Amino acid sequence: MKTTKVTTFTKARAALTALALVVAPGVAVMGTATDAFAATKISHATATQMFRDVGITWSSSGGCSDRNKSNCTSFEQLNLDTAKGAQTLKRSSGCALNITGGTETGHASGTYSHWNGYKLDYGKNTCVTNYIKTYFAYIGLRGDGAPQYKAASGNIYADEGNHWDVTYYNCGGC
């Protein structure tokens, strides 16, 4: 009986993996059968196409996309849900969004970090700031003093002065 369950599970997992590759070509599926919360990682090229599709722009002080240089803006190894979360913010707010920080080195470390694909930085503008402060709940100051706002989805928006630092735990209702 146990063998049948494992075989059935293995077949189902293989079918889902195959389906994922058909539905989202160019997207890498990370994790194992026991890792239910593994994030799906995407390439820089996939992320930039997703952003272009909805009119999101990006910039870097170095004019580059090298993940290993702190003055670049890279999306290599970005979580798929993070990219979808950016699309959700763009669509729901209608605001201009310019990403100024992605998965490049130079940000704070931690599980839910830029490097691990959970965060994006957005340049501030009045439209984005008003949207966040109107539709998301103020939840207090972060340890570094940054005011934080929480979306209904659970994603956290921190006002770091000259930009918004957003932690995406999911796609924001995509």
Side-chain angles (χ1 to χ4, degrees):
M1 188 71 161
K2 188 174 184 180
T3 304
T4 304
K5 286 183 181 177
V6 170
T7 303
T8 303
F9 178 77
T10 303
K11 287 180 182 176
R13 180 172 178 244
L16 287 173
T17 300
L19 179 61
L21 293 174
V22 170
V23 172
V27 174
V29 178
M30 302 292 286
T32 66
T34 59
D35 192 0
F37 299 101
T40 300
K41 302 293 185 178
I42 60 175
S43 69
H44 181 82
T46 298
T48 56
Q49 189 57 58
M50 290 176 71
F51 299 148
R52 273 189 207 100
D53 288 348
V54 296
I56 296 173
T57 60
W58 57 95
S59 58
S60 73
S61 59
C64 50
S65 62
D66 187 332
R67 178 170 161 83
N68 296 302
K69 293 183 180 177
S70 62
N71 66 333
C72 296
T73 298
S74 175
F75 306 122
E76 196 61 41
Q77 295 297 304
L78 189 68
N79 294 340
L80 178 59
D81 274 354
T82 301
K84 287 181 176 180
Q87 290 179 315
T88 300
L89 178 62
K90 171 66 177 169
R91 288 181 180 125
S92 62
S93 71
C95 299
L97 285 182
N98 182 58
I99 301 171
T100 59
T103 60
E104 65 281 345
T105 191
H107 299 280
S109 62
T111 301
Y112 297 102
S113 64
H114 282 273
W115 183 262
N116 289 335
Y118 288 92
K119 288 187 167 215
L120 289 173
D121 288 341
Y122 298 104
K124 282 180 95 174
N125 65 51
T126 303
C127 183
V128 172
T129 296
N130 287 344
Y131 182 83
I132 291 168
K133 290 182 176 184
T134 300
Y135 294 102
F136 302 153
Y138 176 73
I139 58 169
L141 301 178
R142 197 167 62 182
D144 62 0
Q148 299 179 101
Y149 299 81
K150 187 174 186 177
S153 63
N155 296 328
I156 306 291
Y157 294 71
D159 183 346
E160 292 191 345
N162 64 349
H163 68 274
W164 285 97
D165 175 77
V166 183
T167 306
Y168 287 101
Y169 298 104
N170 58 62
C171 67
C174 55

